mmCIF file of all heavy atoms in Angstrom:
data_model
loop_
_atom_site.group_PDB
_atom_site.id
_atom_site.type_symbol
_atom_site.label_atom_id
_atom_site.label_comp_id
_atom_site.label_asym_id
_atom_site.label_seq_id
_atom_site.Cartn_x
_atom_site.Cartn_y
_atom_site.Cartn_z
ATOM 1 N N TRP A 1 10.001 2.154 1.623
ATOM 2 C CA TRP A 1 10.882 3.240 2.204
ATOM 3 C C TRP A 1 10.384 4.613 1.855
ATOM 4 O O TRP A 1 10.260 5.491 2.633
ATOM 5 C CB TRP A 1 12.294 3.036 1.688
ATOM 6 C CG TRP A 1 13.322 3.992 2.323
ATOM 7 C CD1 TRP A 1 13.922 3.921 3.521
ATOM 8 C CD2 TRP A 1 13.714 5.264 1.709
ATOM 9 N NE1 TRP A 1 14.711 4.995 3.691
ATOM 10 C CE2 TRP A 1 14.650 5.792 2.604
ATOM 11 C CE3 TRP A 1 13.510 5.859 0.514
ATOM 12 C CZ2 TRP A 1 15.330 6.964 2.340
ATOM 13 C CZ3 TRP A 1 14.158 7.015 0.220
ATOM 14 C CH2 TRP A 1 14.998 7.619 1.152
ATOM 15 N N PHE A 2 9.986 4.789 0.528
ATOM 16 C CA PHE A 2 9.486 6.074 0.080
ATOM 17 C C PHE A 2 8.179 6.359 0.647
ATOM 18 O O PHE A 2 7.875 7.571 0.951
ATOM 19 C CB PHE A 2 9.433 6.117 -1.470
ATOM 20 C CG PHE A 2 10.692 6.367 -2.218
ATOM 21 C CD1 PHE A 2 11.400 5.360 -2.836
ATOM 22 C CD2 PHE A 2 11.265 7.697 -2.147
ATOM 23 C CE1 PHE A 2 12.617 5.649 -3.491
ATOM 24 C CE2 PHE A 2 12.432 7.910 -2.779
ATOM 25 C CZ PHE A 2 13.146 6.901 -3.458
ATOM 26 N N TYR A 3 7.340 5.376 0.826
ATOM 27 C CA TYR A 3 6.014 5.610 1.476
ATOM 28 C C TYR A 3 6.144 6.120 2.870
ATOM 29 O O TYR A 3 5.558 7.108 3.261
ATOM 30 C CB TYR A 3 5.181 4.289 1.505
ATOM 31 C CG TYR A 3 3.852 4.463 2.136
ATOM 32 C CD1 TYR A 3 2.807 4.908 1.427
ATOM 33 C CD2 TYR A 3 3.736 4.067 3.469
ATOM 34 C CE1 TYR A 3 1.541 5.120 2.068
ATOM 35 C CE2 TYR A 3 2.508 4.173 4.131
ATOM 36 C CZ TYR A 3 1.435 4.704 3.424
ATOM 37 O OH TYR A 3 0.205 4.900 4.058
ATOM 38 N N VAL A 4 7.059 5.496 3.658
ATOM 39 C CA VAL A 4 7.223 5.926 5.034
ATOM 40 C C VAL A 4 7.861 7.363 5.070
ATOM 41 O O VAL A 4 7.509 8.190 5.897
ATOM 42 C CB VAL A 4 8.134 4.939 5.828
ATOM 43 C CG1 VAL A 4 8.539 5.442 7.152
ATOM 44 C CG2 VAL A 4 7.399 3.587 5.955
ATOM 45 N N LEU A 5 8.798 7.556 4.167
ATOM 46 C CA LEU A 5 9.526 8.902 4.120
ATOM 47 C C LEU A 5 8.563 10.010 3.870
ATOM 48 O O LEU A 5 8.644 11.056 4.470
ATOM 49 C CB LEU A 5 10.615 8.803 3.028
ATOM 50 C CG LEU A 5 11.420 10.080 2.885
ATOM 51 C CD1 LEU A 5 12.248 10.349 4.165
ATOM 52 C CD2 LEU A 5 12.362 9.992 1.699
ATOM 53 N N TYR A 6 7.618 9.805 2.932
ATOM 54 C CA TYR A 6 6.705 10.910 2.523
ATOM 55 C C TYR A 6 5.355 10.838 3.152
ATOM 56 O O TYR A 6 4.473 11.686 2.850
ATOM 57 C CB TYR A 6 6.583 10.932 0.986
ATOM 58 C CG TYR A 6 7.845 11.307 0.345
ATOM 59 C CD1 TYR A 6 8.714 10.379 -0.293
ATOM 60 C CD2 TYR A 6 8.246 12.643 0.255
ATOM 61 C CE1 TYR A 6 9.823 10.750 -0.940
ATOM 62 C CE2 TYR A 6 9.426 13.006 -0.359
ATOM 63 C CZ TYR A 6 10.235 12.105 -0.964
ATOM 64 O OH TYR A 6 11.381 12.453 -1.600
ATOM 65 N N ASN A 7 5.108 9.919 4.049
ATOM 66 C CA ASN A 7 3.814 9.763 4.739
ATOM 67 C C ASN A 7 3.954 9.642 6.213
ATOM 68 O O ASN A 7 3.316 8.806 6.793
ATOM 69 C CB ASN A 7 3.001 8.619 4.125
ATOM 70 C CG ASN A 7 2.546 8.854 2.722
ATOM 71 O OD1 ASN A 7 1.493 9.501 2.448
ATOM 72 N ND2 ASN A 7 3.344 8.365 1.789
ATOM 73 N N ARG A 8 4.850 10.407 6.790
ATOM 74 C CA ARG A 8 5.039 10.351 8.245
ATOM 75 C C ARG A 8 4.727 11.688 8.854
ATOM 76 O O ARG A 8 4.897 12.723 8.219
ATOM 77 C CB ARG A 8 6.395 9.887 8.608
ATOM 78 C CG ARG A 8 7.565 10.909 8.315
ATOM 79 C CD ARG A 8 8.815 10.442 8.854
ATOM 80 N NE ARG A 8 9.915 11.364 8.597
ATOM 81 C CZ ARG A 8 11.152 11.277 9.087
ATOM 82 N NH1 ARG A 8 11.508 10.215 9.823
ATOM 83 N NH2 ARG A 8 12.067 12.136 8.848
ATOM 84 N N GLY A 9 4.306 11.659 10.092
ATOM 85 C CA GLY A 9 4.000 12.949 10.757
ATOM 86 C C GLY A 9 5.248 13.579 11.198
ATOM 87 O O GLY A 9 6.364 13.050 11.082
ATOM 88 N N THR A 10 5.152 14.758 11.836
ATOM 89 C CA THR A 10 6.302 15.466 12.370
ATOM 90 C C THR A 10 6.892 14.624 13.517
ATOM 91 O O THR A 10 6.238 14.151 14.348
ATOM 92 C CB THR A 10 5.882 16.835 12.955
ATOM 93 O OG1 THR A 10 5.270 17.593 11.920
ATOM 94 C CG2 THR A 10 7.094 17.576 13.493
ATOM 95 N N PRO A 11 8.218 14.412 13.485
ATOM 96 C CA PRO A 11 8.894 13.634 14.587
ATOM 97 C C PRO A 11 8.586 14.336 15.911
ATOM 98 O O PRO A 11 8.622 15.547 15.990
ATOM 99 C CB PRO A 11 10.396 13.692 14.259
ATOM 100 C CG PRO A 11 10.398 13.894 12.736
ATOM 101 C CD PRO A 11 9.219 14.728 12.466
ATOM 102 N N GLU A 12 8.307 13.517 16.964
ATOM 103 C CA GLU A 12 7.938 14.133 18.251
ATOM 104 C C GLU A 12 8.811 13.569 19.342
ATOM 105 O O GLU A 12 9.090 12.307 19.373
ATOM 106 C CB GLU A 12 6.495 13.829 18.498
ATOM 107 C CG GLU A 12 5.478 14.548 17.569
ATOM 108 C CD GLU A 12 4.071 14.195 17.752
ATOM 109 O OE1 GLU A 12 3.790 13.022 18.279
ATOM 110 O OE2 GLU A 12 3.210 14.945 17.352
ATOM 111 N N THR A 13 9.197 14.417 20.275
ATOM 112 C CA THR A 13 9.941 13.998 21.465
ATOM 113 C C THR A 13 9.091 14.279 22.648
ATOM 114 O O THR A 13 8.700 15.500 22.918
ATOM 115 C CB THR A 13 11.294 14.731 21.567
ATOM 116 O OG1 THR A 13 12.100 14.369 20.446
ATOM 117 C CG2 THR A 13 11.994 14.368 22.854
ATOM 118 N N TYR A 14 8.764 13.277 23.462
ATOM 119 C CA TYR A 14 7.940 13.455 24.651
ATOM 120 C C TYR A 14 8.817 13.527 25.896
ATOM 121 O O TYR A 14 9.608 12.661 26.087
ATOM 122 C CB TYR A 14 6.984 12.217 24.784
ATOM 123 C CG TYR A 14 5.889 12.164 23.724
ATOM 124 C CD1 TYR A 14 6.172 11.772 22.456
ATOM 125 C CD2 TYR A 14 4.597 12.517 24.064
ATOM 126 C CE1 TYR A 14 5.172 11.732 21.447
ATOM 127 C CE2 TYR A 14 3.568 12.432 23.109
ATOM 128 C CZ TYR A 14 3.845 12.053 21.858
ATOM 129 O OH TYR A 14 2.888 11.966 20.877
ATOM 130 N N LEU A 15 8.642 14.602 26.631
ATOM 131 C CA LEU A 15 9.378 14.857 27.866
ATOM 132 C C LEU A 15 8.454 14.773 29.044
ATOM 133 O O LEU A 15 7.500 15.527 29.126
ATOM 134 C CB LEU A 15 10.013 16.239 27.840
ATOM 135 C CG LEU A 15 10.944 16.555 26.600
ATOM 136 C CD1 LEU A 15 11.411 17.962 26.612
ATOM 137 C CD2 LEU A 15 12.134 15.556 26.521
ATOM 138 N N LEU A 16 8.733 13.815 29.918
ATOM 139 C CA LEU A 16 7.872 13.541 31.115
ATOM 140 C C LEU A 16 8.560 13.792 32.364
ATOM 141 O O LEU A 16 9.723 13.688 32.503
ATOM 142 C CB LEU A 16 7.411 12.087 30.995
ATOM 143 C CG LEU A 16 6.508 11.700 29.831
ATOM 144 C CD1 LEU A 16 7.244 10.859 28.898
ATOM 145 C CD2 LEU A 16 5.212 11.060 30.288
ATOM 146 N N PRO A 17 7.769 14.170 33.415
ATOM 147 C CA PRO A 17 8.362 14.408 34.731
ATOM 148 C C PRO A 17 9.011 13.149 35.338
ATOM 149 O O PRO A 17 8.534 11.981 35.055
ATOM 150 C CB PRO A 17 7.109 14.809 35.616
ATOM 151 C CG PRO A 17 6.023 15.230 34.648
ATOM 152 C CD PRO A 17 6.298 14.414 33.401
ATOM 153 N N PRO A 18 10.076 13.329 36.058
ATOM 154 C CA PRO A 18 10.704 12.111 36.692
ATOM 155 C C PRO A 18 9.729 11.310 37.510
ATOM 156 O O PRO A 18 8.914 11.862 38.266
ATOM 157 C CB PRO A 18 11.816 12.771 37.550
ATOM 158 C CG PRO A 18 12.038 14.086 37.015
ATOM 159 C CD PRO A 18 10.691 14.607 36.431
ATOM 160 N N GLY A 19 9.833 10.027 37.369
ATOM 161 C CA GLY A 19 8.946 9.168 38.176
ATOM 162 C C GLY A 19 7.530 9.053 37.647
ATOM 163 O O GLY A 19 6.709 8.436 38.304
ATOM 164 N N TYR A 20 7.201 9.666 36.594
ATOM 165 C CA TYR A 20 5.811 9.631 36.114
ATOM 166 C C TYR A 20 5.361 8.169 35.791
ATOM 167 O O TYR A 20 6.189 7.331 35.369
ATOM 168 C CB TYR A 20 5.650 10.373 34.783
ATOM 169 C CG TYR A 20 4.242 10.668 34.377
ATOM 170 C CD1 TYR A 20 3.468 11.745 34.877
ATOM 171 C CD2 TYR A 20 3.589 9.750 33.573
ATOM 172 C CE1 TYR A 20 2.161 11.928 34.480
ATOM 173 C CE2 TYR A 20 2.228 9.912 33.188
ATOM 174 C CZ TYR A 20 1.553 11.008 33.624
ATOM 175 O OH TYR A 20 0.248 11.165 33.311
ATOM 176 N N GLU A 21 4.110 7.961 36.010
ATOM 177 C CA GLU A 21 3.581 6.551 35.840
ATOM 178 C C GLU A 21 2.105 6.714 35.311
ATOM 179 O O GLU A 21 1.420 7.558 35.807
ATOM 180 C CB GLU A 21 3.515 5.827 37.151
ATOM 181 C CG GLU A 21 2.979 4.395 37.005
ATOM 182 C CD GLU A 21 4.088 3.305 37.074
ATOM 183 O OE1 GLU A 21 4.954 3.402 37.854
ATOM 184 O OE2 GLU A 21 3.969 2.413 36.210
ATOM 185 N N GLY A 22 1.737 5.869 34.338
ATOM 186 C CA GLY A 22 0.336 5.838 33.927
ATOM 187 C C GLY A 22 0.101 6.509 32.575
ATOM 188 O O GLY A 22 1.025 6.798 31.830
ATOM 189 N N GLU A 23 -1.176 6.756 32.306
ATOM 190 C CA GLU A 23 -1.521 7.300 31.029
ATOM 191 C C GLU A 23 -1.201 8.740 30.872
ATOM 192 O O GLU A 23 -1.044 9.552 31.866
ATOM 193 C CB GLU A 23 -3.084 7.168 30.888
ATOM 194 C CG GLU A 23 -3.813 8.097 31.865
ATOM 195 C CD GLU A 23 -5.335 7.997 31.709
ATOM 196 O OE1 GLU A 23 -5.867 6.869 31.513
ATOM 197 O OE2 GLU A 23 -6.033 9.029 31.723
ATOM 198 N N PHE A 24 -0.984 9.189 29.643
ATOM 199 C CA PHE A 24 -0.850 10.587 29.324
ATOM 200 C C PHE A 24 -1.397 10.814 27.919
ATOM 201 O O PHE A 24 -1.373 9.891 27.106
ATOM 202 C CB PHE A 24 0.610 11.086 29.444
ATOM 203 C CG PHE A 24 1.645 10.438 28.648
ATOM 204 C CD1 PHE A 24 2.081 11.039 27.465
ATOM 205 C CD2 PHE A 24 2.205 9.253 29.035
ATOM 206 C CE1 PHE A 24 3.024 10.399 26.719
ATOM 207 C CE2 PHE A 24 3.166 8.578 28.333
ATOM 208 C CZ PHE A 24 3.593 9.200 27.058
ATOM 209 N N VAL A 25 -1.942 11.994 27.732
ATOM 210 C CA VAL A 25 -2.696 12.351 26.482
ATOM 211 C C VAL A 25 -2.232 13.625 25.922
ATOM 212 O O VAL A 25 -2.020 14.588 26.676
ATOM 213 C CB VAL A 25 -4.163 12.381 26.834
ATOM 214 C CG1 VAL A 25 -5.034 12.830 25.577
ATOM 215 C CG2 VAL A 25 -4.718 11.068 27.326
ATOM 216 N N VAL A 26 -2.102 13.700 24.629
ATOM 217 C CA VAL A 26 -1.835 14.886 23.904
ATOM 218 C C VAL A 26 -3.082 15.235 23.065
ATOM 219 O O VAL A 26 -3.438 14.420 22.220
ATOM 220 C CB VAL A 26 -0.613 14.825 23.021
ATOM 221 C CG1 VAL A 26 -0.374 16.143 22.225
ATOM 222 C CG2 VAL A 26 0.633 14.472 23.866
ATOM 223 N N VAL A 27 -3.651 16.394 23.245
ATOM 224 C CA VAL A 27 -4.831 16.821 22.509
ATOM 225 C C VAL A 27 -4.332 17.825 21.482
ATOM 226 O O VAL A 27 -3.633 18.740 21.728
ATOM 227 C CB VAL A 27 -5.863 17.518 23.371
ATOM 228 C CG1 VAL A 27 -7.028 18.049 22.594
ATOM 229 C CG2 VAL A 27 -6.376 16.563 24.469
ATOM 230 N N PHE A 28 -4.747 17.555 20.184
ATOM 231 C CA PHE A 28 -4.244 18.345 19.062
ATOM 232 C C PHE A 28 -5.352 19.282 18.520
ATOM 233 O O PHE A 28 -6.545 19.040 18.703
ATOM 234 C CB PHE A 28 -3.846 17.418 17.925
ATOM 235 C CG PHE A 28 -2.617 16.603 18.277
ATOM 236 C CD1 PHE A 28 -2.801 15.328 18.837
ATOM 237 C CD2 PHE A 28 -1.312 17.067 18.013
ATOM 238 C CE1 PHE A 28 -1.603 14.553 19.119
ATOM 239 C CE2 PHE A 28 -0.233 16.324 18.370
ATOM 240 C CZ PHE A 28 -0.378 15.006 18.896
ATOM 241 N N GLY A 29 -4.856 20.325 17.784
ATOM 242 C CA GLY A 29 -5.748 21.241 17.089
ATOM 243 C C GLY A 29 -6.607 22.141 17.935
ATOM 244 O O GLY A 29 -7.669 22.557 17.513
ATOM 245 N N GLU A 30 -6.121 22.515 19.087
ATOM 246 C CA GLU A 30 -6.870 23.487 19.970
ATOM 247 C C GLU A 30 -6.180 24.872 19.940
ATOM 248 O O GLU A 30 -5.048 24.989 20.395
ATOM 249 C CB GLU A 30 -6.935 22.941 21.386
ATOM 250 C CG GLU A 30 -7.746 21.679 21.504
ATOM 251 C CD GLU A 30 -9.229 21.857 21.228
ATOM 252 O OE1 GLU A 30 -9.707 23.000 21.409
ATOM 253 O OE2 GLU A 30 -9.867 20.886 20.814
ATOM 254 N N PRO A 31 -6.829 25.880 19.441
ATOM 255 C CA PRO A 31 -6.286 27.248 19.474
ATOM 256 C C PRO A 31 -5.846 27.751 20.835
ATOM 257 O O PRO A 31 -4.900 28.582 20.972
ATOM 258 C CB PRO A 31 -7.389 28.119 18.900
ATOM 259 C CG PRO A 31 -8.218 27.166 18.085
ATOM 260 C CD PRO A 31 -8.184 25.863 18.827
ATOM 261 N N CYS A 32 -6.468 27.242 21.832
ATOM 262 C CA CYS A 32 -6.152 27.682 23.224
ATOM 263 C C CYS A 32 -4.871 26.908 23.779
ATOM 264 O O CYS A 32 -4.396 27.187 24.926
ATOM 265 C CB CYS A 32 -7.313 27.412 24.159
ATOM 266 S SG CYS A 32 -7.821 25.628 24.297
ATOM 267 N N GLY A 33 -4.427 25.897 23.037
ATOM 268 C CA GLY A 33 -3.280 25.134 23.491
ATOM 269 C C GLY A 33 -1.969 25.811 23.382
ATOM 270 O O GLY A 33 -1.869 26.915 22.821
ATOM 271 N N VAL A 34 -0.878 25.119 23.768
ATOM 272 C CA VAL A 34 0.458 25.684 23.659
ATOM 273 C C VAL A 34 0.990 25.384 22.298
ATOM 274 O O VAL A 34 0.616 24.427 21.609
ATOM 275 C CB VAL A 34 1.358 25.104 24.750
ATOM 276 C CG1 VAL A 34 0.851 25.384 26.167
ATOM 277 C CG2 VAL A 34 1.578 23.611 24.535
ATOM 278 N N GLU A 35 2.017 26.189 21.881
ATOM 279 C CA GLU A 35 2.792 25.970 20.665
ATOM 280 C C GLU A 35 4.023 25.238 21.037
ATOM 281 O O GLU A 35 4.919 25.842 21.629
ATOM 282 C CB GLU A 35 3.081 27.302 19.995
ATOM 283 C CG GLU A 35 3.685 27.141 18.635
ATOM 284 C CD GLU A 35 2.708 26.491 17.585
ATOM 285 O OE1 GLU A 35 1.621 26.983 17.440
ATOM 286 O OE2 GLU A 35 3.101 25.440 17.068
ATOM 287 N N PRO A 36 4.200 23.906 20.685
ATOM 288 C CA PRO A 36 5.427 23.225 21.118
ATOM 289 C C PRO A 36 6.685 23.819 20.486
ATOM 290 O O PRO A 36 6.656 24.325 19.389
ATOM 291 C CB PRO A 36 5.118 21.813 20.677
ATOM 292 C CG PRO A 36 3.647 21.757 20.408
ATOM 293 C CD PRO A 36 3.278 23.099 19.973
ATOM 294 N N GLU A 37 7.736 23.639 21.243
ATOM 295 C CA GLU A 37 9.031 24.100 20.767
ATOM 296 C C GLU A 37 9.510 23.075 19.661
ATOM 297 O O GLU A 37 9.029 21.970 19.664
ATOM 298 C CB GLU A 37 10.090 24.111 21.853
ATOM 299 C CG GLU A 37 9.676 24.822 23.091
ATOM 300 C CD GLU A 37 10.627 24.506 24.283
ATOM 301 O OE1 GLU A 37 11.817 24.537 24.118
ATOM 302 O OE2 GLU A 37 10.087 24.164 25.313
ATOM 303 N N LEU A 38 10.460 23.530 18.834
ATOM 304 C CA LEU A 38 11.068 22.625 17.901
ATOM 305 C C LEU A 38 12.555 22.478 18.207
ATOM 306 O O LEU A 38 13.184 23.440 18.528
ATOM 307 C CB LEU A 38 10.951 23.134 16.456
ATOM 308 C CG LEU A 38 9.550 23.036 15.793
ATOM 309 C CD1 LEU A 38 9.601 23.627 14.391
ATOM 310 C CD2 LEU A 38 9.101 21.573 15.731
ATOM 311 N N GLU A 39 13.032 21.283 18.151
ATOM 312 C CA GLU A 39 14.445 20.964 18.482
ATOM 313 C C GLU A 39 15.000 20.038 17.389
ATOM 314 O O GLU A 39 14.568 18.846 17.347
ATOM 315 C CB GLU A 39 14.562 20.351 19.867
ATOM 316 C CG GLU A 39 15.980 19.965 20.292
ATOM 317 C CD GLU A 39 16.042 19.259 21.638
ATOM 318 O OE1 GLU A 39 15.707 18.070 21.647
ATOM 319 O OE2 GLU A 39 16.351 19.942 22.609
ATOM 320 N N LYS A 40 15.827 20.592 16.521
ATOM 321 C CA LYS A 40 16.395 19.787 15.447
ATOM 322 C C LYS A 40 15.213 19.097 14.672
ATOM 323 O O LYS A 40 15.270 17.896 14.333
ATOM 324 C CB LYS A 40 17.328 18.776 15.963
ATOM 325 C CG LYS A 40 18.583 19.293 16.627
ATOM 326 C CD LYS A 40 19.500 18.223 17.197
ATOM 327 C CE LYS A 40 20.746 18.795 17.879
ATOM 328 N NZ LYS A 40 21.643 17.848 18.434
ATOM 329 N N ASP A 41 14.208 19.887 14.270
ATOM 330 C CA ASP A 41 13.101 19.481 13.473
ATOM 331 C C ASP A 41 12.195 18.439 14.178
ATOM 332 O O ASP A 41 11.283 17.843 13.570
ATOM 333 C CB ASP A 41 13.542 18.843 12.158
ATOM 334 C CG ASP A 41 14.284 19.874 11.304
ATOM 335 O OD1 ASP A 41 13.885 21.054 11.299
ATOM 336 O OD2 ASP A 41 15.245 19.499 10.570
ATOM 337 N N ARG A 42 12.347 18.327 15.525
ATOM 338 C CA ARG A 42 11.449 17.465 16.317
ATOM 339 C C ARG A 42 10.618 18.391 17.214
ATOM 340 O O ARG A 42 11.094 19.316 17.808
ATOM 341 C CB ARG A 42 12.246 16.463 17.169
ATOM 342 C CG ARG A 42 13.145 15.526 16.373
ATOM 343 C CD ARG A 42 13.738 14.494 17.315
ATOM 344 N NE ARG A 42 12.750 13.560 17.831
ATOM 345 C CZ ARG A 42 12.395 12.505 17.208
ATOM 346 N NH1 ARG A 42 12.883 12.165 16.056
ATOM 347 N NH2 ARG A 42 11.403 11.704 17.719
ATOM 348 N N ARG A 43 9.354 18.000 17.249
ATOM 349 C CA ARG A 43 8.402 18.771 18.137
ATOM 350 C C ARG A 43 8.543 18.241 19.564
ATOM 351 O O ARG A 43 8.487 17.082 19.867
ATOM 352 C CB ARG A 43 7.006 18.467 17.625
ATOM 353 C CG ARG A 43 5.915 19.187 18.392
ATOM 354 C CD ARG A 43 4.609 18.847 17.841
ATOM 355 N NE ARG A 43 4.358 19.382 16.511
ATOM 356 C CZ ARG A 43 3.501 18.870 15.560
ATOM 357 N NH1 ARG A 43 2.769 17.802 15.933
ATOM 358 N NH2 ARG A 43 3.403 19.444 14.421
ATOM 359 N N LEU A 44 8.841 19.186 20.476
ATOM 360 C CA LEU A 44 8.979 18.861 21.901
ATOM 361 C C LEU A 44 7.581 18.936 22.596
ATOM 362 O O LEU A 44 6.961 19.960 22.626
ATOM 363 C CB LEU A 44 9.946 19.765 22.590
ATOM 364 C CG LEU A 44 11.415 19.747 22.113
ATOM 365 C CD1 LEU A 44 12.236 20.663 23.004
ATOM 366 C CD2 LEU A 44 11.986 18.317 22.250
ATOM 367 N N LEU A 45 7.191 17.821 23.183
ATOM 368 C CA LEU A 45 5.896 17.797 23.872
ATOM 369 C C LEU A 45 6.184 17.559 25.354
ATOM 370 O O LEU A 45 6.524 16.406 25.736
ATOM 371 C CB LEU A 45 4.959 16.649 23.325
ATOM 372 C CG LEU A 45 4.649 16.773 21.811
ATOM 373 C CD1 LEU A 45 3.880 15.585 21.343
ATOM 374 C CD2 LEU A 45 3.873 18.086 21.570
#
């Protein structure tokens, strides 16, 4: 329990277009990328 509590990434909420199907990818660590919003300590993607 303590390991999971202190070794987890930021909670993330993925929001997808209605009817979406197939693969989707999130690329991290790019200065040219967007800064995701935070909602109740969850990152909105």
